């Protein structure tokens, strides 16, 4: 197997809205480069990239897959990513290793929400980007309309390198304004004839050509001088200028293809080989914020960008070599755990197929097997190295469900399965909530969670269902009350005796101490579930010993952890113990804890208790046409609009919405907008729940309690 030097490697990520043709384009590139003999199609369920059963079934990509090809001595690694924003995690993983993001646009619809979302992410991650206009053979194809939309969304850097001679079913030729040539394809695609640009197209081609030259010159002063001197740049000058402008994200060149009829990929691969940045050009971010350039001569190191696994093989660790070269048998250290590891076999990946290799050089992507405890985002390097890369940034989750096992005794099995799933897909998250007594799965949407469910059932053989997750309400009180409890037990030997008088009241930051009580000591406790408990010792005349104070706090805390209203955590309360009594023999810590707990519980229920619910701030991105529907849906979800923003045809709404109302929001938003909107969410605050909601929650809790108690 050939070992490629980094300057002869290109790592590209195919990105874009679902259905734009990424997987088909990848397949066509593999075919056109002679890597595969037969071109698979989505419809025949035999593409190299979509090889998982579930991808064949759904006829779309769900997992990012790594492919590679050789185009005239250049190794092109292709990361084909899913276009559905539910699988955003797979896209995020590609950013760390992609030297170029190739955005595939469906010219039937122009910029769609997935394109928009991934473009903004590529912008944030500073990944050079190019654009491929696909489906030009469709009778609904609209190159100019799509171009206009792309320019509106992504700015002046969008420059035409190619445009179609004609589009729709008669599409058969592409005009290239960098080479000033027309490529005319045979009926079933493949290698085109190079022809002069026809007379009818010369004027248009000149306009695009000049735009291209001017944009390249604008971004490079020395080229600008040359351009003014000669009124033109030659192809080599343009090529260099393009590479630099791509790297700076000043230029986003536009290419044309019809992936399903094998037209256009040869020239795209040529551009990748001749112009696109190499792994040596890309600045990687280290954990300390500094930059790192891939170093062929440096000590061996690699970055784990993705995990997956396979029956009979186990863990597959996807790596990018970032320094020197790596070979089986090499001893390295995982910088996260500081554990040593010895590299086993290494493979290059062609979808489901793997080929063993002896060596992988800096810049290249490969799979390592049988390595324990390597997570996506780990840096692995020589023992004495201190290299640590900044980890991949995964999106925040937007949807949660609770898991219910239908068979007893499978808790451990479920735990192991979930661990493995999260390891392979860090955009999902599992929370074993003590508070809610549920295992909660967080993901990026219904489609995402359904794929996880599919894995739990098919791969891990678990009988499990999704159920509604409980809401982590908080409880507090709204008025001051005095409360008292005497705990007295006399059964045989030693008895139990404790009596406490408490004053409990709502607490807010900055509140003065009680002046009607003799406050001797104040303890402020920041609760681990958020909020505060302030405890005041106001005992006069030693009626309760100081040594019992911790037990009293403990009793109060125990009830706060299991709130009197709904069993949820309580917060923001001040408790003052101001009287009580003890017995010289029968009083002990346990007795005071019980007395405090009971007094607190009684008082709490009399103190106009109030349920608080978590409120999230959401940001919805949507096409303007759906604004009305989305807004009225938000108001039916008790949403409060915090702000609105419009960027051309794309609108953004910021709103605060109770978590309870967000349970099925991802799904609802999709159906309201025909899948064209996305949203993000973040915890904002706790706020009082409306009276009717509180009533319902309390009733539900009581019913649950009654059920538990038989
Ligand atoms: N007419 C036409 N159809 C195409 C072209 N390229 C792809 N398709 C079809 O478009 C559909 C979607 O293609 P995919 O390759 O799965 O698109 P994708 O971008 O990988 O989609 P996701 O994996 O869901 O993100 C399939 O039915 C393809 O056959 C094209 O150039 N012209
Ligand atoms: Mg795909």
């Amino acid at each position: 197997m050939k070992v490629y030097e980094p300057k002869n490697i290109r790592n590209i990520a195919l990105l874009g809205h679902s259905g734009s043709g990424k997987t088909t384009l990848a397949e066509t590139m593999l075919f056109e480069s002679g890597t595969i003999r037969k071109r698979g199609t989505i419809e025949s369920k035999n593409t190299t990239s979509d090889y998982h059963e579930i991808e064949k079934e759904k006829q779309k990509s769900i997992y990012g897959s790594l492919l590679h090809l050789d185009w005239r001595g250049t190794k092109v690694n292709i990361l084909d990513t899913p276009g559905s924003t539910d699988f955003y995690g797979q896209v995020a993983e590609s950013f760390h290793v992609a030297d170029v993001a190739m955005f595939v646009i469906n010219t039937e619809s122009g910029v769609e929400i997935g394109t928009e979302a991934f473009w903004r992410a590529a912008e944030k991650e500073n990944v050079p980007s190019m654009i491929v206009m696909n489906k030009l053979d469709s009778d609904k194809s609209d190159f100019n309309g799509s171009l206009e939309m792309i320019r509106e969304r992504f700015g002046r850097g969008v420059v035409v390198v190619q445009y179609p001679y004609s589009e729709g079913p008669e599409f058969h030729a592409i005009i290239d304004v960098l080479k000033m040539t027309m490529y005319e394809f045979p009926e079933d695609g493949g290698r085109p004839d190079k022809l002069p640009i026809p007379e009818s197209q010369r004027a248009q081609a000149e306009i695009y050509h000049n735009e291209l030259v001017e944009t390249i010159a604008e971004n490079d002063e020395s080229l600008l001088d040359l351009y003014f001197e000669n009124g033109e740049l030659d192809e080599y000058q343009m090529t260099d200028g393009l590479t630099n402008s791509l790297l700076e994200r000043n230029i986003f060149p536009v290419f044309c293809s019809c992936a399903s009829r094998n037209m256009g990929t040869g020239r795209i691969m040529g551009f990748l080989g001749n112009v696109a940045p190499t792994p040596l050009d890309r600045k990687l971010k280290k954990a300390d914020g500094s930059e790192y350039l891939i170093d062929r001569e440096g000590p061996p190191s690699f970055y784990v960008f993705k995990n997956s696994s396979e029956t009979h093989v186990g863990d597959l660790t996807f790596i990018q070599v970032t320094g020197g070269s790596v070979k089986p048998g090499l001893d390295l250290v995982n910088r996260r755990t500081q554990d040593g590891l010895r590299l086993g076999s290494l493979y290059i990946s062609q979808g489901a197929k793997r080929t063993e290799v002896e060596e992988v050089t800096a810049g290249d992507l490969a799979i390592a097997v049988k390595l324990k405890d390597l997570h996506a985002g780990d840096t692995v390097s020589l023992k004495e190295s201190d290299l640590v890369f900044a980890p991949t940034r995964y999106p925040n989750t937007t949807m949660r469900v609770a898991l219910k096992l239908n068979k007893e005794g499978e808790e451990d099995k479920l735990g192991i399965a979930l661990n493995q799933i999260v390891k392979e897909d860090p955009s999902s998250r599992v929370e074993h909530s003590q508070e809610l007594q549920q295992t909660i799965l967080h993901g990026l949407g219904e489609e995402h969670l359904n794929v996880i469910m599919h894995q739990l059932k098919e791969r891990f053989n678990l009988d499990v269902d999704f159920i509604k997750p409980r809401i982590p309400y908080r409880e507090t009180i709204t008025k001051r009350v005095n409360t008292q409890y005497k705990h007295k037990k006399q059964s045989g030997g030693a008895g139990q005796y404790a009596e406490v008088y408490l004053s409990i009241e709502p607490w807010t930051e900055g509140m003065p101490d009680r002046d009607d009580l003799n406050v001797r000591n104040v303890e402020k406790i920041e609760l681990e579930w958020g909020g505060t408990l302030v405890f005041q010792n106001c005992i006069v005349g030693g009626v309760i010993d100081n040594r019992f104070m911790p037990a009293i706090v403990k009793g109060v805390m125990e009830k706060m952890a299991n709130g009197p209203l709904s069993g949820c955590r309580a917060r923001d309360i001040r408790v003052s113990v101001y009287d009580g009594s003890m017995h010289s023999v029968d009083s002990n810590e346990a007795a005071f804890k019980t007395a405090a707990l009971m007094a607190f519980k009684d008082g709490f229920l009399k103190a106009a208790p109030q349920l608080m619910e978590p409120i999230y701030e959401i940001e919805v991105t949507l096409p303007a046409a759906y604004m009305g529907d989305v807004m009225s849906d938000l108001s039916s979800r008790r949403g409060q609009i915090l702000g609105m923003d419009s960027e051309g045809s794309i609108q953004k709404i910021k709103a605060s919405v109770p978590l309870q109302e967000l349970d099925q929001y991802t799904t609802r938003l999709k159906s309201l907008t025909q899948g064209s909107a996305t949203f993000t969410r973040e915890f904002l605050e706790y706020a009082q729940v409306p009276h009717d909601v509180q009533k319902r929650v309390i009733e539900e809790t009581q019913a649950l309690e009654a059920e538990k108690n038989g």
Side-chain angles (χ1 to χ4, degrees):
M1 199 73 211
K2 195 169 160 185
V3 176
Y4 290 85
E5 288 304 313
K7 66 176 185 344
N8 297 325
I9 296 172
R10 305 288 181 275
N11 297 313
I12 65 157
L14 290 177
L15 306 181
H17 196 76
S18 185
S20 56
K22 299 176 292 298
T23 300
T24 310
L25 187 71
E27 188 75 6
T28 304
M29 287 165 81
L30 292 179
F31 178 74
E32 199 49 26
S33 61
T35 314
I36 54 173
R37 277 160 194 248
K38 191 171 170 295
R39 202 152 57 93
T41 66
I42 301 295
E43 287 70 20
S44 321
K45 306 176 194 272
N46 59 351
T47 62
T48 314
S49 172
D50 285 358
Y51 62 89
H52 292 92
E53 279 313 312
I54 188 166
E55 295 179 311
K56 294 182 190 176
E57 188 187 305
K58 308 241 178 234
Q59 303 215 357
K60 68 193 299 191
S61 309
I62 285 168
Y63 301 99
S65 45
L66 175 58
L67 316 166
H68 67 91
L69 58 86
D70 183 296
W71 184 257
R72 299 180 182 158
T74 299
K75 182 182 187 199
V76 181
N77 288 314
I78 304 172
L79 283 154
D80 177 28
T81 69
S84 159
T85 46
D86 274 44
F87 307 117
Y88 201 151
Q90 310 285 318
V91 172
E93 288 179 340
S94 75
F95 285 138
H96 215 282
V97 293
D99 307 312
V100 179
M102 195 188 276
F103 281 86
V104 181
I105 305 278
N106 174 358
T107 49
E108 292 173 345
S109 28
V111 177
E112 296 167 274
I113 216 82
T115 325
E116 172 83 20
F118 304 146
W119 186 276
R120 297 302 164 209
E123 199 169 58
K124 227 184 241 165
E125 302 287 341
N126 207 19
V127 187
S129 301
M130 58 190 278
I131 294 161
V132 177
M133 300 285 225
N134 191 39
K135 297 201 180 179
L136 290 163
D137 62 319
S138 159
D139 51 7
K140 291 196 230 77
S141 169
D142 178 3
F143 178 86
N144 287 330
S146 299
L147 180 65
E148 203 175 302
M149 209 168 164
I150 295 170
R151 284 191 157 152
E152 184 223 338
R153 306 295 316 130
F154 307 147
R156 285 193 53 225
V158 176
V159 290
V160 171
V161 172
Q162 297 184 329
Y163 71 96
Y165 174 69
S166 60
E167 51 188 324
E170 70 274 19
F171 171 75
H172 69 288
I174 294 171
I175 293 173
D176 192 302
V177 303
L178 180 59
K179 298 229 185 247
M180 284 308 266
T181 302
M182 181 163 94
Y183 296 103
E184 189 176 57
F185 295 90
E187 178 74 12
D188 54 353
R191 184 158 295 192
D193 286 332
K194 285 186 202 166
L195 303 173
I197 294 175
E199 201 45 47
S200 64
Q201 291 296 323
R202 283 218 73 89
Q204 179 64 67
E206 286 292 341
I207 294 174
Y208 281 140
H209 178 80
N210 289 338
E211 264 177 29
L212 177 64
V213 177
E214 276 165 28
T215 316
I216 294 172
E218 260 172 36
N219 290 308
D220 186 324
E221 247 173 59
S222 57
L223 287 181
L224 194 62
D225 291 344
L226 272 174
Y227 178 58
F228 279 135
E229 259 171 50
N230 307 332
E232 179 61 310
L233 295 177
D234 69 29
E235 198 187 321
Y236 297 103
Q237 292 159 341
M238 284 214 278
T239 304
D240 277 355
L242 256 172
T243 310
N244 292 331
S245 304
L246 261 168
L247 271 169
E248 300 288 325
R249 284 185 56 87
N250 285 327
I251 267 190
F252 311 113
V254 174
F255 288 81
C256 290
S257 81
C258 169
S260 58
R261 280 166 51 191
N262 187 16
M263 296 178 184
T265 52
R267 173 76 176 104
I268 292 172
M269 289 188 285
F271 180 82
L272 289 174
N274 297 333
V275 184
T278 78
L280 296 171
D281 298 320
R282 183 88 199 279
K283 293 185 184 100
L284 294 175
K285 248 212 194 92
K286 293 207 274 185
D288 63 9
S290 62
E291 284 174 347
Y292 174 91
L293 285 171
I294 285 186
D295 183 4
R296 173 69 177 96
E297 306 308 322
S301 65
F302 65 81
Y303 177 80
V304 179
F305 68 95
K306 177 183 169 61
N307 259 307
S308 81
S309 67
E310 211 170 86
T311 344
H312 310 307
V313 185
D315 286 337
L316 303 178
T317 311
F318 287 72
I319 63 169
Q320 174 169 45
V321 178
T322 43
S325 76
V326 299
K327 293 179 182 169
L330 189 66
D331 285 310
L332 296 166
V333 169
N334 177 354
R335 298 267 75 102
R336 178 176 51 85
T337 58
Q338 297 304 333
D339 288 340
L341 58 89
R342 173 164 297 174
L343 275 185
S345 306
L346 294 165
Y347 298 86
I348 50 173
S349 156
Q350 195 70 283
K353 215 177 99 205
R354 285 184 300 278
T355 311
E356 193 163 354
V357 289
E358 286 307 309
E359 183 180 8
V360 185
T361 43
D364 211 351
L365 311 181
I367 295 177
V369 295
K370 301 205 167 28
L371 295 180
K372 290 246 161 346
D373 199 28
L374 274 183
H375 290 187
D378 283 350
T379 306
V380 178
S381 56
L382 285 181
K383 194 164 169 234
E384 54 278 11
S385 153
D386 59 0
L387 178 67
V388 182
F389 290 109
T392 302
R393 274 184 287 201
Y394 291 92
N396 287 340
T397 56
T398 53
M399 190 167 174
R400 40 170 233 147
V401 283
L403 288 166
K404 182 175 152 278
L405 273 171
N406 295 323
K407 243 193 239 154
E408 263 178 43
E410 293 207 314
E411 288 75 11
D412 288 352
K413 199 171 148 194
L414 176 66
I416 291 168
L418 289 172
N419 260 341
Q420 186 65 26
I421 286 172
V422 173
K423 183 175 169 190
E424 291 171 25
D425 172 13
S427 69
S428 59
R429 193 162 59 79
V430 173
E431 178 195 353
H432 299 284
S433 172
Q434 278 266 323
E435 173 183 7
L436 306 177
Q437 308 234 322
Q438 281 182 324
T439 298
I440 300 200
L441 178 63
H442 298 260
L444 295 173
E446 203 178 5
E447 231 184 319
H448 187 204
L449 295 174
N450 285 343
V451 166
I452 296 176
M453 176 55 92
H454 184 268
Q455 290 203 34
L456 289 172
K457 289 194 161 148
E458 303 301 321
R459 176 175 163 197
F460 294 99
N461 239 326
L462 282 156
D463 182 5
V464 54
D465 279 320
F466 285 154
I467 55 168
K468 213 174 146 97
R470 298 196 184 104
I471 303 288
Y473 291 108
R474 294 288 175 262
E475 300 181 7
T476 193
I477 50 175
T478 56
K479 70 176 199 196
R480 178 189 289 180
V481 296
N482 289 344
T483 172
Q484 154 266 340
Y485 193 86
K486 187 192 280 183
H487 178 61
K488 194 173 170 187
K489 245 187 189 163
Q490 201 67 57
S491 53
Q496 295 259 336
Y497 183 91
E499 185 184 29
V500 295
Y501 283 74
L502 306 179
S503 176
I504 68 171
E505 61 201 315
W507 184 83
T508 48
E509 191 67 55
M511 217 160 104
D513 288 347
R514 291 280 288 266
D515 53 11
D516 56 330
L517 296 172
N518 175 26
V519 180
R520 295 173 48 211
N521 185 38
V522 182
E523 201 180 332
K524 187 175 170 194
I525 302 162
E526 299 301 345
L527 301 163
E528 62 184 74
W529 52 85
T532 311
L533 162 68
V534 174
F535 181 76
Q536 299 192 140
N537 175 356
C538 314
I539 292 297
V540 189
V543 292
I544 300 176
D545 259 5
N546 267 346
R547 67 192 162 100
F548 294 129
M549 288 303 141
I552 294 174
V553 175
K554 236 188 207 163
V556 169
M557 284 279 276
E558 197 168 305
K559 198 63 222 162
M560 284 183 80
N562 174 23
L565 270 190
S566 64
C568 291
R569 319 283 206 225
R571 58 180 280 169
D572 303 329
I573 296 170
R574 180 158 73 183
V575 176
S576 310
V577 52
Y578 64 92
D579 202 355
S581 62
M582 52 185 180
H583 182 273
S584 57
V585 180
D586 293 348
S587 280
N588 56 29
E589 284 171 6
F592 271 101
K593 191 178 127 191
T594 307
L597 187 150
M598 295 307 287
F600 178 79
K601 181 181 164 192
D602 287 352
F604 192 99
L605 290 170
K606 288 179 201 139
Q610 171 68 50
L611 214 54
M612 320 261 284
E613 63 181 337
I615 307 287
Y616 276 68
E617 181 175 314
I618 67 167
E619 184 175 287
V620 189
T621 308
L622 71 162
Y626 298 110
M627 208 47 190
D629 290 345
V630 171
M631 292 283 272
S632 68
D633 177 68
L634 275 176
S635 82
S636 76
R637 290 170 190 274
R638 299 192 276 130
Q640 308 258 353
I641 305 300
L642 304 174
M644 276 188 277
D645 206 2
S646 83
E647 284 177 33
S649 54
I650 303 273
Q651 299 272 341
K652 279 189 179 177
I653 309 174
K654 263 199 184 135
S656 66
V657 185
L659 176 63
Q660 197 202 18
E661 307 287 343
L662 283 177
D663 265 354
Q664 296 298 320
Y665 190 58
T666 328
T667 313
R668 177 76 183 137
L669 189 63
K670 273 212 173 120
S671 78
L672 271 181
T673 63
Q674 298 184 358
S676 66
T678 56
F679 84 105
T680 57
R681 68 176 205 189
E682 210 166 311
F683 172 74
L684 183 65
E685 60 183 6
Y686 269 95
Q688 295 192 353
V689 303
H691 185 71
D692 55 322
V693 178
Q694 171 153 340
K695 192 162 161 259
R696 203 191 60 230
V697 174
I698 292 170
E699 281 165 9
E700 280 170 10
T701 313
Q702 283 166 349
L704 212 70
E705 282 296 308
E707 197 179 299
K708 249 196 234 160
N709 299 332

